[in-house]
Amino acid sequence: MTKKTQNALDRYGPVSRRAFLARSGAGALALSLPSKLVGAEVGSSKQFALSAGKSTVQLVSESHPTTSVWAYNEIIPGPEIRVRQGDRVGIAVENNLDEETTVHWHGLRVPNAMDGVPHLTQTPIAVGGNFHYQFDVPDAGTYWYHPHQRGFEQVGRGLYGAFIVEEQEPIVVDRDITWVLDDWRLDRDAQIRNDFNNRHDASHNGRVGNTVTINGQIPTTLNVQQGERIRLRLINAANARIFNLEFANHEPWIIALDGQPVEPHHSPTNSIVLGPAMRADLIIDMTADPDQRYQVTDSFYRDLEYTLIDIAYDATARREQLLDTSMSLPLNTMPEPEWAGIERHEIRFNGGMMGNMMMSGNSGMNMMQMMREGKMWTINGVAASGHVMDPLLTLKQGRSYHFELLNDTAWHHPIHLHGHSFRVVSRNGKETQHREWQDTVLMAPEERVGIAFVADSLGDWMFHCHIFEHQAAGMMGVVRVST
Ligand code: C2O
Ligand code: CU
């Protein structure tokens, strides 16, 4: 892998990592999350307060101006909410933006009324208004929260945070670290470019930025010790960027995907692919010698590889022998889909640019009309406008379903179902090895993905592409679960 710094990514302006780092000194950036969070225990429930508003942060180094952002509690990422499996959680959200908002608890199986979808599950939180979310957390794992109102801009400007649910009995590690990954489209003055939701992004691969941050900072170094075992929780909070992370001489174990335990395994390519909204929990044993240095690289987009961060070993070892304690996480509480009598549906995704051709299941006339309205994508032939619509499918509570997702486009799409996790059972007709539970599944161009789940939670649930520009341009539907 050629070593490129982040300026290799830069299609929009010279926001180079080297320039940003020029005056930031040799010291490692602290990659711990800020703790500006009001957390209190009231009775049996844990209370938090989030305020969505405008803020300025030092996103890039001090040799550059601060960046104006929208943030929760004024920090990027928003405060990490950390609770324990089975807890009851209350979150008071205040809206100090100039527009309506909501908060969606991505991947958490909350009751429909707490799901944070504007107009569908709640009235949006008015400017100056507030809303009190309250729910139990049935499953342990790595989740996140973000607005569901104009996500392309609200999330794109910085509204997101990690939501970690600890196991009742966590596995043994030396450190438990969260990396919230994001990318930004910055101009020369380190300000966020205003070109949100433009037609080009919407019809291609979404708003891919030019500056990648971990926990709101341009990362430099992760300091480690030989023999150390790290649990690394990755969260992709980017609007559109897909990551393919390689950890040089290290072989991370994947122990959970989208918060849900999976049999610990190495990826066949030894790299971790993470589409927007997806999470992975890794165990990384620091197997190299003291004083060594390695690069974590991201090589998803061809010819745009760059070094995300360095792993730097201390001069002294933590221990001689690696830990050999179990890294298997206890299963969560999802019901298993029943294969006998499972009900099958096909869901077809169309649209987007392909050379000069729109790939669409619709007629040419329809397509022109759609494009005039800024709609570029369809699910089963329908381009959504807004969150309220007729359901794509109505499911019966308690029944098992198999969806065959057909990506009839030339693009990747991370497809997210609210309120449920599903097993990814096949890709292009071939059974998956781990039948992983996910709430967001990345479909490659032209790929067919089979998912299975029990429709156990009542209500209208969003089912959409998590590239926010695709979602806004129509790639969104509703799945209804009724009695
Ligand atoms: Cu992460 Cu419908 O959202
Ligand atoms: Cu998409």
Side-chain angles (χ1 to χ4, degrees):
M1 166 93 34
T2 43
K3 182 184 177 182
K4 287 181 192 159
T5 48
Q6 280 199 34
N7 50 359
L9 291 175
D10 188 8
R11 288 150 51 203
Y12 307 96
V15 185
S16 88
R17 179 176 185 237
R18 193 174 295 116
F20 286 147
L21 295 179
R23 286 212 271 130
S24 69
L29 281 180
L31 281 173
S32 58
L33 285 152
S35 57
K36 235 179 167 182
L37 174 63
V38 192
E41 267 182 68
V42 179
S44 59
S45 112
K46 291 197 176 139
Q47 300 294 325
F48 301 91
L50 292 177
S51 157
K54 296 187 177 178
S55 177
T56 47
V57 295
Q58 195 78 51
L59 205 58
V60 293
S61 86
E62 264 134 46
S63 58
H64 287 258
T66 52
T67 304
S68 301
V69 296
W70 298 357
Y72 290 114
N73 300 9
E74 300 184 350
I75 53 176
I76 304 285
E80 178 173 292
I81 296 177
R82 197 173 255 270
V83 298
R84 176 145 302 184
Q85 185 171 17
D87 278 348
R88 181 149 188 82
V89 180
I91 303 133
V93 177
E94 204 176 81
N95 180 8
N96 293 307
L97 299 167
D98 296 333
E99 59 184 58
E100 296 177 333
T101 193
T102 63
V103 184
H104 170 58
W105 315 95
H106 185 116
L108 286 166
R109 297 188 302 139
V110 303
N112 194 252
M114 294 292 122
D115 199 41
V117 179
H119 307 292
L120 187 74
T121 69
Q122 70 169 97
T123 308
I125 310 172
V127 175
N130 50 67
F131 190 88
H132 197 241
Y133 293 90
Q134 195 149 31
F135 48 81
D136 297 321
V137 284
D139 304 315
T142 302
Y143 305 93
W144 66 299
Y145 59 92
H146 64 78
H148 221 282
Q149 174 91 340
R150 299 181 67 256
F152 55 86
E153 181 164 4
Q154 293 196 5
V155 183
R157 288 191 184 276
L159 287 165
Y160 56 79
F163 196 121
I164 308 296
V165 186
E166 292 174 351
E167 294 85 22
Q168 289 290 351
E169 286 173 37
I171 53 171
V172 179
V173 295
D174 294 309
R175 270 193 289 169
D176 182 331
I177 301 175
T178 307
W179 281 4
V180 186
L181 301 164
D182 191 13
D183 70 346
W184 309 79
R185 189 177 285 175
L186 300 181
D187 65 18
R188 281 155 215 266
D189 301 319
Q191 299 312 302
I192 298 170
R193 290 177 61 110
N194 283 323
D195 56 343
F196 285 100
N197 207 26
N198 64 63
R199 260 158 200 270
H200 186 273
D201 288 343
S203 59
H204 293 76
N205 59 352
R207 183 182 177 88
V208 175
N210 54 17
T211 305
V212 176
T213 56
I214 296 179
N215 301 340
Q217 309 261 292
I218 297 206
T220 55
T221 310
L222 173 68
N223 290 310
V224 302
Q225 284 186 300
Q226 183 186 21
E228 195 179 10
R229 172 169 282 186
I230 291 178
R231 176 174 183 168
L232 181 59
R233 301 170 186 265
L234 301 172
I235 301 172
N236 184 353
N239 278 34
R241 176 179 292 274
I242 304 169
F243 290 87
N244 180 40
L245 301 181
E246 292 172 66
F247 291 80
N249 278 25
H250 300 81
E251 292 190 1
W253 292 94
I254 301 171
I255 61 165
L257 291 167
D258 288 357
Q260 309 306 324
V262 64
E263 183 192 334
H265 64 280
H266 298 302
S267 123
T269 54
N270 203 30
S271 64
I272 311 297
V273 176
L274 216 58
M278 295 170 65
R279 289 90 65 214
D281 285 38
L282 309 180
I283 292 285
I284 310 182
D285 284 319
M286 296 302 161
T287 46
D289 292 333
D291 282 327
Q292 298 300 303
R293 211 176 170 89
Y294 298 94
Q295 290 165 350
V296 180
T297 53
D298 172 13
S299 58
F300 187 80
Y301 300 97
R302 206 190 311 158
D303 301 328
L304 291 173
E305 299 91 357
Y306 66 98
T307 299
L308 177 66
I309 189 170
D310 283 2
I311 299 178
Y313 278 74
D314 286 359
T316 52
R318 165 144 197 139
R319 62 173 69 83
E320 295 295 311
Q321 294 283 315
L322 294 177
L323 281 181
D324 64 356
T325 50
S326 168
M327 56 179 100
S328 297
L329 296 168
L331 283 181
N332 276 326
T333 59
M334 255 81 62
E336 270 299 330
E338 293 254 6
W339 286 93
I342 201 165
E343 192 174 309
R344 291 173 185 273
H345 295 276
E346 274 190 2
I347 301 179
R348 201 172 282 276
F349 299 82
N350 286 99
M353 296 306 285
M354 162 68 176
N356 291 320
M357 289 266 300
M358 283 282 279
M359 291 180 70
S360 170
N362 302 310
S363 72
M365 273 308 288
N366 256 338
M367 211 176 71
M368 299 283 288
Q369 175 66 23
M370 270 174 55
M371 280 192 74
R372 260 198 300 278
E373 292 164 5
K375 300 296 165 206
M376 320 272 186
W377 306 93
T378 59
I379 303 182
N380 283 355
V382 178
S385 38
H387 289 89
V388 179
M389 64 193 103
D390 290 335
L392 196 64
L393 288 169
T394 299
L395 313 181
K396 206 167 162 37
Q397 188 182 27
R399 274 207 74 157
S400 294
Y401 291 88
H402 178 278
F403 292 176
E404 189 79 358
L405 312 180
L406 305 156
N407 182 4
D408 281 351
T409 81
W411 305 93
H412 284 84
H413 305 284
I415 302 298
H416 174 44
L417 175 62
H418 285 213
H420 299 77
S421 287
F422 45 78
R423 278 195 185 277
V424 179
V425 294
S426 65
R427 287 185 181 270
N428 291 326
K430 197 171 166 285
E431 273 180 38
T432 57
Q433 196 184 340
H434 298 284
R435 303 173 75 245
E436 53 273 17
W437 287 104
Q438 303 231 245
D439 54 60
T440 308
V441 63
L442 187 63
M443 304 188 297
E446 307 286 339
E447 196 176 29
R448 277 190 299 135
V449 180
I451 64 172
F453 66 103
V454 179
D456 65 338
S457 193
L458 284 178
D460 281 358
W461 300 105
M462 299 308 301
F463 182 64
H464 64 87
C465 179
H466 219 287
I467 291 176
F468 286 114
E469 294 74 26
H470 292 180
Q471 179 191 10
M475 201 177 246
M476 173 162 73
V478 166
V479 171
R480 176 170 295 167
V481 179
S482 65
T483 52

